[in-house]
Amino acid sequence: MCAFFTPNANAQVLNKPEPAVNPNLSSTDPWTSACASSSFNEYFVNFTWSPNPSLVANDNEFILELSDPNGNFDTVTELGRTSDNNTVFDFDFGFALPQEVQGDGYRFRVRSTNPAMESPVSDAFSMYYIGYNNPILISQDASGVIPSGGVLEVCDGSGLTLATHNVPNADTYRYKWSRSSTPLSETSNSLTVTEPGMYYVEIDYGINCTGSANTLSNTIEVVITSPQGIAINPPAQTTLCSNESITLNANITGMGYLYTWFNGSSIVSGPTVDDADLVVDGSVSGFEGDYSVRIEGAGICAEQSAAITIESAANYSVTRNNPANLVLLPGQNQTLSVSTTAISATYQWFRDGAQISGETSASLTASQAGTYYVEVTETGGSCTLPPKNSESTVIVLPTDFELSIDYVGTYSDCAASSVTLTVLQINAIDGNGDRSDVTASLKDSFSYQWIKDGNALAGLTSDELVLNDVSDNGFYTLEGQITSYNITSNPLSVRLASSDTVLIESSGTQLCDGVVVTLTTTTDLTGADFTWTRNGTAVSTTDTSFVANETGTYQLSVSSDGCPIVSNEIVITNFDESVVQIDTDDTIVFPEGESQTVTATGASAYEWYDESNNLISSTDSVSLTDEGSYLLLASVGSCQITKTFNISYRDNFEIPNVITANGDGINDLWVLPNTYSRNSEVSVIIYNEKGEEVVNEIGYQNNWPASSTAFSKKNQIFYYKIRNGRETLRQGTITVIR
């Protein structure tokens, strides 16, 4: 097996998965291809790995993944996972094929999660889930009708379509079509046929699975024949009255063919042998349409004629040309009219259901209130047709009018910066109090005057009014006048949002002991209606500057013409002392005679003091050489924070037994207390693991190891002795970590 190379020879190595024996079957051979189905779907692959389980985390999982049909792992399918084999170097994954698996190039791999690694991919395998494993049935256009003798004729120069009709979810499979044993390129469940031959199909389950699936279809023989030239003889007439009928005749008769008659795409007769005629009855509802005939039979191709259009003579329309509601004003008349598609029409007008004597034209001049319509009769053509009535027109003598105005589009107070007002509807009110919508007929006949807060607006006399400034805010009505009628509309309130802005500022954004935050604005609040809010709740309506002593989100709302102008938000929080940091612990230890620099961050100003309260630095850092207690006073805005720390010489501490020689400047050197270092009477000896001296120095300078010192291991142990003459003062080990 091939091993997956890793740079570290001590790390785990994942091997590619291999097919394994199914322990639940009698066979002792691993599988070579997978032909799964609902009755069998159990397979195994073997996976091995090595060699160091200590490098595998306790939460590691091994995951078996499957590629796409082409062996690519851009999209993977998880087949199984295990977390119980982190100390088992040879085990099997059991899995079932997903139903969508169909192909000859699938590969496996195994992935571990901790450490994250991937095995080499397996060899390619043919794998199919056999979702359908019964013989296929094919027919023309998937109609389900298998032709007698399995033979279909197709007209020369045209074609037909063969398709499966008994395979569920047929478009989820690939197919293998053949013509007279010759494979074809089509892989869908349908095939367009233009050549003669014996056609059949089976589902393509690959080289190893197709035959075992038993899906081979029935065979249909396609024969190419010449068209017969079927047509419908031209009928004597193509327009029928309700009491008329005509017979359509095919031009080919007496040949024993099957005839199928169509109206559009609907079959109205057949298929019937030698039924070459069709009676079309004008009294049958829906007889109108495009008629054609189809013939088929032994030795000929199926062929359909061109269509003949049959229409109804009663198919004429009457259209009202005036509005449905009209108003008859004093001294005026109204003209009503209709239009019709009748060839030769007569007219009779009615008012309130009674004939109007002498009114027999397409138009009428009305001088009385009432409900009017006209009866239109078609007198042309070969048949008598029933009359048709127009839609009614209601004419009223108004006692008054009602005028409604509204906003154009969606409008909300204080939300829009502009709005248009318009006439919505005009109703005529008759003596019974009934209302008729006469907007369409009279809207342009009225004269108008817009009124704001009870005052007429000079020059604003159209049926619409555009408002786009806060100075336009107010209550609006519209006065309308026609002849002797004067009406006033409903009122509408307009409150447009101001384009002004309100900006607030703060003296800070953090609260601390003895420090508060003051909020101010550049907006003049003298005489204004305003509100300071905290988290959306009013906290003051009188303070032109507001002192905030609680955390929260603050805003200022100023009323302008009844609409609030809301300021920006200022978020005030409690002072967070953690924003100021110093790069040291509470106690700093270093050898006497050396120095240490301490740096702070996160503040706007710094003051460093020694234990005598002397200011020793006012920058963000301070260099220290003496033991003692030190204090930092840091300022963030108006808030201050103190931090204390101590300096101690290393003499007060034990000899270190671990150093980290990684070059970061921290604990890189083995530093001894001053009692032992730089002492001309004390010698320091350091041995490696083999007992070889690497240091033997009197007056040790705290300078081992040098930056050029090489180490044979990542973690290496050394031994030391500190002596005064022949007396051993201290001894122990030093672990050097790199």
Side-chain angles (χ1 to χ4, degrees):
M1 299 182 180
C2 297
F4 179 67
F5 175 76
T6 57
N8 187 344
N10 293 321
Q12 71 182 105
V13 175
L14 309 184
N15 300 317
K16 73 177 183 179
E18 304 276 3
V21 173
N22 188 329
N24 300 316
L25 300 177
S26 58
S27 174
T28 58
D29 296 325
W31 57 273
T32 57
S33 61
C35 304
S37 66
S38 59
S39 59
F40 177 80
N41 194 1
E42 183 181 50
Y43 297 88
F44 292 85
V45 294
N46 178 252
F47 170 65
T48 60
W49 64 285
S50 63
N52 191 347
S54 65
L55 296 179
V56 177
N58 291 333
D59 62 350
N60 177 64
E61 291 184 293
F62 291 108
I63 303 171
L64 178 65
E65 296 178 333
L66 182 67
S67 73
D68 66 15
N70 299 314
N72 298 320
F73 285 88
D74 296 336
T75 301
V76 300
T77 300
E78 182 179 317
L79 296 180
R81 65 170 59 205
T82 175
S83 59
D84 300 329
N85 290 297
N86 290 330
T87 59
V88 179
F89 304 128
D90 187 339
F91 62 90
D92 290 346
F93 278 101
F95 65 92
L97 285 192
Q99 294 188 13
E100 62 272 14
V101 169
Q102 306 272 315
D104 297 302
Y106 286 97
R107 297 178 185 268
F108 298 94
R109 73 181 180 192
V110 174
R111 179 168 59 86
S112 67
T113 60
N114 194 358
M117 299 181 65
E118 295 173 358
S119 77
V121 300
S122 72
D123 297 337
F125 295 99
S126 177
M127 307 183 75
Y128 288 86
Y129 184 90
I130 301 174
Y132 184 82
N133 57 358
N134 293 307
I136 294 172
L137 295 177
I138 60 175
S139 57
Q140 185 175 359
D141 299 324
S143 64
V145 178
I146 298 176
S148 176
V151 178
L152 284 174
E153 290 86 10
V154 59
C155 289
D156 190 15
S158 61
L160 57 82
T161 298
L162 299 178
T164 64
H165 64 253
N166 69 326
V167 180
N169 303 314
D171 58 353
T172 62
Y173 302 103
R174 287 175 55 88
Y175 296 82
K176 298 168 64 175
W177 286 90
S178 297
R179 181 183 71 248
S180 302
S181 300
T182 300
L184 303 175
S185 61
E186 181 58 56
T187 59
S188 72
N189 73 313
S190 64
L191 176 71
T192 299
V193 175
T194 59
E195 298 181 43
M198 310 290 287
Y199 290 85
Y200 52 90
V201 69
E202 62 184 334
I203 295 178
D204 185 0
Y205 287 127
I207 297 174
N208 299 302
C209 302
T210 297
S212 63
N214 192 33
T215 62
L216 189 63
S217 74
N218 59 303
T219 299
I220 288 183
E221 181 182 3
V222 175
V223 178
I224 303 297
T225 60
S226 299
Q228 303 300 301
I230 185 67
I232 299 175
N233 294 323
Q237 64 185 86
T238 57
T239 301
L240 298 180
C241 300
S242 60
N243 59 348
E244 292 181 321
S245 64
I246 58 171
T247 300
L248 301 178
N249 311 112
N251 67 336
I252 298 174
T253 62
M255 304 296 292
Y257 299 149
L258 284 173
Y259 290 76
T260 305
W261 288 89
F262 295 85
N263 183 351
S265 60
S266 300
I267 296 175
V268 293
S269 176
T272 309
V273 176
D274 282 337
D275 191 5
D277 300 327
L278 177 70
V279 175
V280 180
D281 190 345
S283 66
V284 176
S285 176
F287 75 89
E288 305 92 337
D290 298 322
Y291 287 84
S292 61
V293 63
R294 177 184 176 91
I295 60 170
E296 52 192 318
I300 68 168
C301 58
E303 182 184 354
Q304 192 160 333
S305 74
I308 295 291
T309 301
I310 306 299
E311 297 179 319
S312 171
N315 189 20
Y316 70 96
S317 63
V318 177
T319 303
R320 183 188 63 205
N321 297 329
N322 50 264
N325 297 284
L326 295 172
V327 170
L328 198 60
L329 297 174
Q332 294 183 351
N333 296 319
Q334 289 287 3
T335 299
L336 313 181
S337 68
V338 295
S339 56
T340 181
T341 59
I343 297 173
S344 179
T346 62
Y347 303 89
Q348 177 59 61
W349 285 91
F350 291 79
R351 181 171 67 85
D352 296 336
Q355 285 189 8
I356 305 175
S357 178
E359 297 295 343
T360 56
S361 67
S363 62
L364 168 71
T365 299
S367 59
Q368 301 181 60
T371 300
Y372 291 80
Y373 68 89
V374 65
E375 181 183 84
V376 179
T377 303
E378 170 68 280
T379 60
S382 60
C383 52
T384 302
L385 302 175
K388 288 188 177 182
N389 292 338
S390 71
E391 295 180 301
S392 296
T393 300
V394 177
I395 297 179
V396 297
L397 294 172
T399 58
D400 203 354
F401 286 92
E402 184 178 68
L403 175 61
S404 299
I405 60 173
D406 201 358
Y407 311 100
V408 174
T410 302
Y411 169 80
S412 297
D413 278 350
C414 302
S417 58
S418 65
V419 67
T420 299
L421 309 184
T422 189
V423 172
L424 175 66
Q425 186 169 319
I426 301 173
N427 291 328
I429 305 174
D430 63 18
N432 296 321
D434 296 327
R435 287 168 168 78
S436 299
D437 184 354
V438 293
T439 311
S441 60
L442 290 185
K443 179 180 177 181
D444 295 337
S445 299
F446 272 82
S447 59
Y448 300 100
Q449 175 63 60
W450 286 97
I451 307 295
K452 175 190 175 185
D453 298 331
N455 299 311
L457 299 174
L460 299 180
T461 57
S462 71
D463 56 14
E464 283 194 347
L465 178 64
V466 177
L467 307 173
N468 51 25
D469 191 270
V470 292
S471 62
D472 295 330
N473 289 354
F475 288 91
Y476 289 82
T477 57
L478 179 62
E479 291 183 352
Q481 182 178 6
I482 188 170
T483 64
S484 60
Y485 298 92
N486 291 284
I487 53 176
T488 301
S489 74
N490 57 298
L492 290 179
S493 170
V494 172
R495 286 197 294 166
L496 299 177
S498 173
S499 59
D500 294 339
T501 59
V502 173
L503 177 67
I504 60 173
E505 300 173 337
S506 66
S507 60
T509 59
Q510 293 183 317
L511 300 176
C512 52
D513 291 342
V515 175
V516 296
V517 174
T518 301
L519 303 175
T520 58
T521 180
T522 57
T523 300
D524 184 5
L525 299 180
T526 304
D529 181 10
F530 63 89
T531 302
W532 292 94
T533 63
R534 172 180 167 271
N535 298 334
T537 301
V539 291
S540 174
T541 58
T542 58
D543 298 318
T544 55
S545 62
F546 182 73
V547 176
N549 53 20
E550 293 183 82
T551 62
T553 300
Y554 288 84
Q555 286 182 287
L556 174 63
S557 175
V558 180
S559 179
S560 173
D561 290 313
C563 292
I565 305 174
V566 181
S567 74
N568 55 301
E569 294 182 348
I570 291 182
V571 178
I572 297 176
T573 61
N574 284 321
F575 177 59
D576 181 7
E577 295 187 357
S578 67
V579 300
V580 178
Q581 298 288 329
I582 58 174
D583 62 347
T584 184
D585 297 327
D586 292 341
T587 299
I588 304 172
V589 179
F590 57 85
E592 184 178 4
E594 297 185 1
S595 65
Q596 180 79 32
T597 298
V598 179
T599 301
T601 57
S604 55
Y606 306 89
E607 292 181 352
W608 304 84
Y609 295 89
D610 62 17
E611 61 185 8
S612 298
N613 207 30
N614 296 313
L615 177 65
I616 56 177
S617 176
S618 56
T619 69
D620 61 350
S621 63
V622 62
S623 180
L624 304 171
T625 58
D626 298 327
E627 286 186 313
S629 297
Y630 293 86
L631 178 143
L632 167 65
L633 180 63
S635 299
V636 181
S638 300
C639 296
Q640 289 185 327
I641 180 176
T642 59
K643 288 183 177 290
T644 60
F645 57 94
N646 297 306
I647 298 293
S648 297
Y649 293 143
R650 186 170 291 281
D651 281 338
N652 299 328
F653 296 89
E654 291 295 323
I655 296 172
N657 59 5
V658 176
I659 61 174
T660 56
N662 56 9
D664 64 356
I666 302 174
N667 199 32
D668 283 338
L669 300 175
W670 189 52
V671 178
L672 298 180
N674 289 345
T675 304
Y676 306 122
S677 65
R678 300 182 177 88
N679 190 326
S680 60
E681 297 180 357
V682 174
S683 64
V684 174
I685 307 170
I686 302 175
Y687 307 88
N688 63 19
E689 293 172 324
K690 297 179 181 180
E692 300 169 340
E693 287 187 3
V694 296
V695 173
N696 190 336
E697 184 178 329
I698 295 175
Y700 173 65
Q701 298 297 310
N702 291 330
N703 58 354
W704 181 84
S707 60
S708 60
T709 301
F711 297 94
S712 60
K713 297 179 181 180
K714 187 173 183 179
N715 301 324
Q716 190 167 351
I717 298 176
F718 294 82
Y719 304 90
Y720 72 87
K721 286 185 179 181
I722 301 174
R723 305 179 67 179
N724 188 340
R726 295 185 176 181
E727 180 185 1
T728 298
L729 303 177
R730 301 290 295 272
Q731 63 183 5
T733 63
I734 310 167
T735 299
V736 179
I737 299 174
R738 292 185 295 114

